[in-house]
Amino acid sequence: MSVSPASPSHSEPFEDEHVSASACPACIAAPSAEQMAKSGDIKGARIMLSLPTAHCAVCITDVERELMKQPGVKSARVNLTLKRASVDAAGDVEPAGLIAALDKIGYEAHELDPGMLSATEADKRGRDLLMRMGVAGFAMMNIMMLSIAVWSGAQDSTRDLFHWISAAIALPTTIFAGQPFFANAWASLRGGRLGMDVPISLAILLALGISLFETMHSGAHAYFEAATMLTFFLLVGRYLDYRTRAVARSAAEELAALEVPRATVLRDGEEVTVPVSELVPGDLIRVRPGGRIPADGEVTEGQSESDRSLLTGESLPVQVLPGMALSAGEVNLTGPLTLRVTAAGRDSSLHRMADLVAMAESAKTKYTSLAERAARAYAPIVHILSFSAFCAWAWITGGDFRLAVNIAAAVLIITCPCALGLAVPAVVTAASGKLFRKGLLIKDGTALERMAEIDTVVFDKTGTLTMGAPRPQNLSDLSPEALSVAMALAEGSSHPLARALHEAAAVQGGVPATLSDLREVPGYGVEGVWQGQRVRLGRANWIGAAEGATTATHLAIGETTPISIRFADTLRTGAEEAVAGLKAQGKQVWLVSGDVEGAVSDLAARLGIDTYRAGALPAEKAQLVSDLTQQGHRVLMVGDGLNDTAALAAAHVSVSPASALDAARTASDIVLLGKDLAPVSDAASISVRARRRIKQNFGISIVYNIIAVPLALTGLATPLMAALAMSASSITVSLNSLRLR
């Protein structure tokens, strides 16, 4: 049965949880995809799958259709923004079957623990701000039309009528739309602080109070338009600021959710499936080929190969033999294994890495932006100026509190931090748009500011500077017969080198030879019989070949001398330009990897990177970033793997490719949307220009206050004039920010 995600009948059984579509480039590019992304997840879904390679509307349709074909699946919904599939299925449906079905149609999937992801859903605050901003803007335009009639000469009862109508619009509007400021101001006062929302709320309430008083006493001037205009522009700044921060999610929760929620335990010789939380040291667990290791343990039975690339960055699978220690998160590749658990749950290596990320994220939230520092200095000055104006004018006029309140309100409005509030988010929004067009998505509001401060860049190797896909380098050395035999043997294995060899041979027009007795020997390679001779493809010590310094597999045909097939990783597009561009800007460039010395030094020499470190474990990568930071450097970390997550979170600012694991992508501040790495260098230069523009905006705000505040203090500006001046400064700041585009 096929399912259309846009079909009303499909959405009926679900209770949608709305999400922000802004984080997804495909949603922005395709309105239909955005609608689909907003459709949300299935609430209470039993199975959650991570889909790191899903990126467009076609992906949604393909994945949902394939999942719905599986027996026992009642409903399936893909959330493109979060790159997850939520599946409501019968109790006997196993996630492994769904993952295998998606793998057949070309989609990578990982099981997630739904319980660990409850706090990562997008919230409603953005839509709430947007709604209040719309209400304030609509009311402002209507009140301005009534004010124009008053300014055109309406007198007496006609003027009073317009004022009352304005009051009827402005009072409920500002009470509703201004709630974010009122609530924050009240919270600040209860905490004994004077935050920026306190003078904002005072200005709005004073403008309303004065206007209501004037209207009740048939006064000539009311300032309802000033109150709504003030509220509208303040909400614009608040919404822009929110948008720059909204897409960030908790990396620690994503990382924790990647832990396999169930394990197969051997009890009295029988396999029993239990939650990982029930594993204890000493349990025997069975891990089949293709499965992820659920806990740290020691191999007691079986031979295989393990993919540690997510944990260590090492591109070549490691041979696994009895007695070896494996870590939670590794992937068993070729043969079934039995492990004795040594550490599970919160004691496992994967969970310790999650703790590292959480600690690093906590340190990063202490960063104080330029706007926050400016606000701290600005808030007390506003209160002092307004209160001083009230006292001075009450004393000068001999107790004319009506005039004193008017002038105090004008001071509050004219000093209202609209321009200050727009100075940073307007620039960040403009710079984010420019970088998005270059293929970079800014996730954190302060990322650009932090990017402008970097002087050191640390690159990961596998999956970042390289594509993480090995390619055979010397297939031309093989005779046509040897190539056919190698291709046929490679067909019988899911090993990454075997798959790469088969693909490359197919591109060269190779035809697999006909073999008999083909079988894979876990941990060693593949063997078969060709024309009466035994043929093997695999490790050097199994084939009888000499070990080389580079990554290679070896082919033996009968008793002939084995042939070594060498592999090299493919350089990512734009890697050379990115490194050269950053060095030209005076940045110090590092290469750090969990891979072996030879592979890392070769790549460093190829890219002109003078400083590198090989064989680095995840904690060592994070420690390197911390050490550089303690030496006074501002570090940009560029990485993609689970082993980079702690370093990404610990760095001053971080970038990961869109192809990175969810946890790494979530820990980073900026996501590289395409395969080209060159925009990383552009981001560094654009961030410097953005920071310069932010400082210009602060300069405009300061000049505006130097000119306008004396006018308000001397009684030359009414609250309406103050609101217009404040609006003019906000528009000037916005236009200056747009020059960055």
Side-chain angles (χ1 to χ4, degrees):
M1 182 173 65
S2 65
V3 176
S4 168
S7 167
S9 61
H10 184 218
S11 60
E12 278 176 359
F14 313 137
E15 183 178 341
D16 289 347
E17 291 183 18
H18 300 290
V19 296
S20 166
S22 62
C24 176
C27 292
I28 294 168
S32 59
E34 184 174 358
Q35 290 174 3
M36 293 176 187
K38 287 178 177 175
S39 62
D41 300 332
I42 301 172
K43 192 169 185 177
R46 196 176 68 80
I47 299 171
M48 294 286 287
L49 301 175
S50 170
L51 301 167
T53 57
H55 64 280
C56 65
V58 175
C59 300
I60 296 175
T61 308
D62 288 350
V63 170
E64 289 185 345
R65 182 187 296 123
E66 188 62 28
L67 289 174
M68 289 297 293
K69 287 179 182 175
Q70 306 308 311
V73 173
K74 300 172 185 172
S75 55
R77 178 69 62 88
V78 172
N79 185 318
L80 191 59
T81 303
L82 301 177
K83 291 185 182 292
R84 291 182 197 149
S86 49
V87 183
D88 185 12
D92 58 344
V93 175
E94 293 295 330
L98 303 181
I99 291 171
L102 293 178
D103 184 59
K104 286 181 181 175
I105 60 170
Y107 287 96
E108 179 184 351
H110 305 283
E111 186 184 4
L112 294 172
D113 184 353
M116 302 296 291
L117 300 169
S118 57
T120 65
E121 306 296 342
D123 60 37
K124 299 178 181 177
R125 185 165 173 247
R127 293 193 306 279
D128 183 71
L129 281 173
L130 194 61
M131 178 180 62
R132 294 178 195 277
M133 190 172 73
V135 171
F138 183 73
M140 178 187 72
M141 289 187 287
N142 282 279
I143 297 173
M144 285 297 288
M145 291 174 64
L146 294 168
S147 298
I148 289 172
V150 173
W151 301 337
S152 300
Q155 297 291 326
D156 303 328
S157 58
T158 306
R159 180 192 60 207
D160 291 345
L161 175 63
F162 286 153
H163 280 169
W164 278 115
I165 296 173
S166 298
I169 299 172
L171 285 173
T173 297
T174 47
I175 290 171
F176 169 74
Q179 279 184 16
F181 310 111
F182 301 150
N184 287 342
W186 178 240
S188 296
L189 292 174
R190 289 180 64 187
R193 295 176 287 105
L194 286 177
M196 289 302 292
D197 284 336
V198 175
I200 288 172
S201 302
L202 272 177
I204 294 172
L205 293 175
L206 270 178
L208 279 179
I210 293 168
S211 303
L212 201 57
F213 179 84
E214 294 288 343
T215 302
M216 293 171 67
H217 293 83
S218 297
H221 303 291
Y223 308 109
F224 293 113
E225 69 283 270
T228 51
M229 190 185 300
L230 190 63
T231 308
F232 173 73
F233 277 99
L234 286 165
L235 283 169
V236 170
R238 193 62 57 93
Y239 180 71
L240 286 177
D241 182 62
Y242 170 79
R243 291 288 296 162
T244 59
R245 301 170 190 270
V247 294
R249 288 183 284 155
S250 167
E253 287 175 355
E254 285 285 333
L255 195 55
L258 270 175
E259 294 181 58
V260 180
R262 284 177 291 280
T264 303
V265 180
L266 296 177
R267 289 179 179 163
D268 299 328
E270 298 291 328
E271 293 187 357
V272 181
T273 302
V274 301
V276 168
S277 57
E278 293 183 8
L279 288 179
V280 295
D283 279 347
L284 287 175
I285 54 175
R286 176 69 54 83
V287 184
R288 292 189 171 79
R292 196 178 291 274
I293 309 293
D296 293 357
E298 182 181 315
V299 179
T300 60
E301 184 182 342
Q303 297 179 351
S304 181
E305 286 174 301
S306 173
D307 180 356
R308 297 181 164 176
S309 58
L310 289 179
L311 292 172
T312 67
E314 191 172 346
S315 54
L316 195 63
V318 177
Q319 187 178 23
V320 176
L321 298 170
M324 282 186 63
L326 298 181
S327 300
E330 295 183 31
V331 178
N332 179 23
L333 289 178
T334 52
L337 292 172
T338 302
L339 286 84
R340 187 176 300 282
V341 174
T342 56
R346 291 192 171 276
D347 298 324
S348 72
S349 53
L350 189 63
H351 209 285
R352 286 200 299 274
M353 199 186 302
D355 291 341
L356 275 177
V357 174
M359 290 170 59
E361 277 194 327
S362 173
K364 189 179 284 187
T365 56
K366 295 176 182 174
Y367 179 82
T368 308
S369 68
L370 279 172
E372 289 167 339
R373 279 176 271 170
R376 283 180 189 171
Y378 193 73
I381 296 174
V382 173
H383 292 95
I384 293 170
L385 279 177
S386 178
F387 187 68
S388 300
F390 174 79
C391 294
W393 278 99
W395 179 71
I396 291 170
T397 57
D400 186 352
F401 291 106
R402 185 175 179 178
L403 178 62
V405 169
N406 260 285
I407 292 175
V411 172
L412 271 178
I413 293 172
I414 221 160
T415 55
C416 223
C418 280
L420 193 64
L422 282 170
V424 175
V427 171
V428 171
T429 303
S432 299
K434 188 179 181 71
L435 287 174
F436 180 76
R437 289 191 292 276
K438 287 180 173 290
L440 287 164
L441 181 68
I442 306 293
K443 287 175 50 191
D444 188 287
T446 63
L448 274 176
E449 287 185 47
R450 287 182 273 126
M451 178 71 103
E453 297 171 351
I454 63 160
D455 57 12
T456 304
V457 184
V458 177
F459 281 104
D460 166 55
K461 183 178 105 23
T462 307
T464 303
L465 287 172
T466 68
M467 296 299 290
R471 288 188 179 277
Q473 302 296 298
N474 60 329
L475 280 188
S476 58
D477 294 349
L478 275 66
S479 66
E481 292 78 13
L483 182 66
S484 297
V485 172
M487 192 174 177
L489 287 167
E491 264 185 341
S493 173
S494 59
H495 192 284
L497 295 185
R499 291 205 303 268
L501 172 59
H502 186 269
E503 288 175 9
V507 170
Q508 289 193 9
V511 178
T514 302
L515 305 182
S516 59
D517 299 333
L518 185 66
R519 72 185 187 97
E520 184 167 18
V521 182
Y524 292 97
V526 190
E527 67 178 8
V529 176
W530 176 65
Q531 295 183 355
Q533 304 177 84
R534 180 157 299 282
V535 290
R536 284 180 169 178
L537 180 72
R539 292 185 174 274
N541 57 358
W542 186 55
I543 300 292
E547 287 277 6
T550 58
T551 303
T553 187
H554 309 273
L555 174 68
I557 300 177
E559 300 301 323
T560 60
T561 304
I563 305 168
S564 296
I565 303 172
R566 299 188 302 276
F567 287 81
D569 208 348
T570 310
L571 201 62
R572 182 180 283 273
T573 306
E576 291 169 308
E577 290 84 350
V579 173
L582 290 166
K583 291 178 73 174
Q585 294 174 38
K587 318 292 186 195
Q588 184 184 1
V589 180
W590 278 72
L591 171 59
V592 59
S593 172
D595 215 338
V596 295
E597 172 80 18
V600 178
S601 61
D602 286 349
L603 183 66
R606 187 175 171 186
L607 293 174
I609 299 175
D610 301 323
T611 317
Y612 66 88
R613 184 173 293 179
L617 296 173
E620 292 172 338
K621 287 187 175 184
Q623 188 60 47
L624 171 65
V625 171
S626 299
D627 290 345
L628 289 170
T629 303
Q630 287 178 2
Q631 292 167 17
H633 295 287
R634 302 285 191 178
V635 179
L636 162 64
M637 176 72 200
V638 188
D640 75 313
L642 198 58
N643 57 323
D644 302 319
T645 310
L648 288 167
H652 193 56
V653 63
S654 51
V655 177
S656 66
S659 57
L661 196 71
D662 272 2
R665 205 169 48 241
T666 303
S668 63
D669 303 296
I670 301 171
V671 174
L672 187 66
L673 300 175
K675 293 182 177 179
D676 192 348
L677 204 61
V680 173
S681 171
D682 297 333
S685 59
I686 289 173
S687 65
V688 173
R689 289 166 50 201
R691 184 179 172 85
R692 194 180 305 136
R693 201 74 70 202
I694 288 172
K695 290 183 175 178
Q696 287 176 1
N697 283 347
F698 284 146
I700 292 171
S701 300
I702 291 169
V703 170
Y704 154 76
N705 279 293
I706 289 174
I707 297 172
V709 170
L711 295 176
L713 285 172
T714 53
L716 295 176
T718 64
L720 175 59
M721 293 168 65
L724 291 173
M726 179 275 301
S727 303
S729 71
S730 301
I731 292 169
T732 307
V733 165
S734 300
L735 291 176
N736 185 53
S737 304
L738 288 176
R739 291 200 299 136
L740 195 64
R741 295 168 69 88

